[in-house]
Amino acid sequence: MATLTHDTPVRSRLGNGLLLAALSASSFGLSGALARGLIDSGWSPAAVVIVRVLIGAAVLAPVAVYQLHGNWELLRRNKSLLIGYGLLAVAGAQLSYFNAVAHMDVGVALLIEYTAPIAVIAWLWLRHSQKPDRVTILGALIGIAGLILVLDLNSDVPTSWVGILWALGAMVGAAGYFILSGSAGDAVPGTVLATGGLLVGGTGILLAGLIGIVPLDASTKPVAFHGFTTQWWLPLLALAVITAALAYVTGIAATRALGSRLASFAALSEVLAAIIFAWALLGQTPHPIQLLGGVLILAGVVVVRLGEPAEIADEPTLSEPR
């Protein structure tokens, strides 16, 4: 009886963790559809990213300050990690993803980005001589086969090579997130890393826009979605509060409750959420061959993770802030 009593909190923690992971994945999955609506109404991808990440950082800042407990020296010692995370994992990944969805369907762009774990395995092999085993290689081949199907190069619909390149850029940014998150520095709390990365990333894109490297266009025109129109500030506010602040906080909480490996599997539901939101808000429906490719990509990611040694599989994953 004592064992059953002890097992109750464990089951409760597992259930709560899965709910938080689903909420985080759904929140992240909403971002592509909302961003595409704003871009179609006259916003540039850079402007959307800036508003999203800076307001998201403002929402998370009080929690980050509390976690620091006045230890500002921690930020100075880990400034390289915070800057790299902000520029690559936040600014690079989000700017590339939003540019990708401006040229192609949301679900397709996200599926290409989700080949990032395969790129991480390749980086660990080439850079740190962590040779993958046969299971990992099999997963990578399955994922690559899925990527080819997702691109649907034989379709009658013209292929957007610009969109593909941006989606691959988002994949590189997501891979950078994995690698940098694996280097926790001097025990940087998750919310502190997320807030610092959002601030650095948003500020970096803002400076790039001010000097003319990326266009900063905004519009107050109503935003048209599939079947309805809304004021411009509503999807923008949802991007900042729901797909940034809420998604990051619930992702961190889910990872701490479930552990990084289980949370990473739960986070794969972001792809499904993105496809559903793109269908509901934008009327985008992937081709059957692309859906099959998406299944192969997700299967490949799962097989890759099953083939990883424990010390690699337990690193931060997709369910954490990116």
Side-chain angles (χ1 to χ4, degrees):
M1 183 64 68
T3 302
L4 293 176
T5 303
H6 176 73
D7 192 45
T8 301
V10 175
R11 291 182 179 179
S12 177
R13 183 178 181 183
L14 177 62
N16 292 336
L18 289 173
L19 287 175
L20 287 169
L23 179 58
S24 177
S26 299
S27 301
F28 276 127
L30 178 61
S31 65
L34 293 178
R36 177 60 181 266
L38 286 164
I39 292 169
D40 288 345
S41 72
W43 284 74
S44 65
V48 175
V49 173
I50 290 170
V51 175
R52 180 195 183 198
V53 300
L54 290 183
I55 294 180
V59 174
L60 291 178
V63 180
V65 171
Y66 173 79
Q67 287 189 342
L68 278 173
H69 298 294
N71 184 15
W72 302 105
E73 178 65 16
L74 182 66
L75 299 180
R76 189 192 67 80
R77 293 198 306 268
N78 293 277
K79 63 183 180 209
S80 297
L81 173 62
L82 293 170
I83 293 173
Y85 185 92
L87 295 181
L88 181 59
V90 175
Q94 293 194 20
L95 185 59
S96 296
Y97 175 57
F98 285 172
N99 271 294
V101 301
H103 293 88
M104 63 197 313
D105 285 358
V106 170
V108 176
L110 190 60
L111 285 168
I112 295 174
E113 182 182 355
Y114 261 70
T115 58
I118 298 173
V120 172
I121 298 301
W123 168 262
L124 293 174
W125 186 4
L126 296 174
R127 177 66 174 157
H128 300 288
S129 300
Q130 296 179 357
K131 185 178 180 179
D133 60 18
R134 293 180 179 178
V135 175
T136 299
I137 294 174
L138 174 62
L141 293 176
I142 293 173
I144 292 171
L147 177 60
I148 293 173
L149 294 181
V150 163
L151 296 180
D152 197 12
L153 299 180
N154 292 325
S155 171
D156 293 334
V157 179
T159 301
S160 174
W161 291 104
V162 174
I164 291 172
L165 290 175
W166 277 117
L168 290 173
M171 180 270 289
V172 172
Y177 155 72
F178 288 125
I179 295 167
L180 292 173
S181 294
S183 174
D186 298 332
V188 179
T191 305
V192 174
L193 179 60
T195 306
L198 289 172
L199 285 172
V200 170
T203 303
I205 298 177
L206 178 60
L207 291 176
L210 292 177
I211 62 179
I213 296 178
V214 294
L216 292 181
D217 301 320
S219 173
T220 58
K221 294 190 302 184
V223 180
F225 291 103
H226 184 60
F228 70 96
T229 302
T230 185
Q231 294 298 314
W232 63 273
W233 57 268
L234 188 57
L236 204 62
L237 184 63
L239 267 174
V241 176
I242 298 176
T243 76
L246 176 63
Y248 290 144
V249 170
T250 53
I252 293 170
T255 302
R256 290 177 176 174
L258 300 175
S260 59
R261 169 168 282 200
L262 178 55
S264 69
F265 289 121
L268 295 176
S269 59
E270 180 185 341
V271 176
L272 176 60
I275 291 175
I276 292 174
F277 283 126
W279 167 74
L281 296 179
L282 303 174
Q284 296 179 352
T285 304
H287 298 155
I289 191 70
Q290 291 177 311
L291 292 175
L292 175 60
V295 171
L296 288 178
I297 287 177
L298 298 185
V301 170
V302 170
V303 173
V304 163
R305 292 196 175 279
L306 290 175
E308 292 178 359
E311 62 269 20
I312 297 176
D314 288 337
E315 289 177 359
T317 56
L318 284 171
S319 61
E320 297 184 19
R322 45 184 178 83

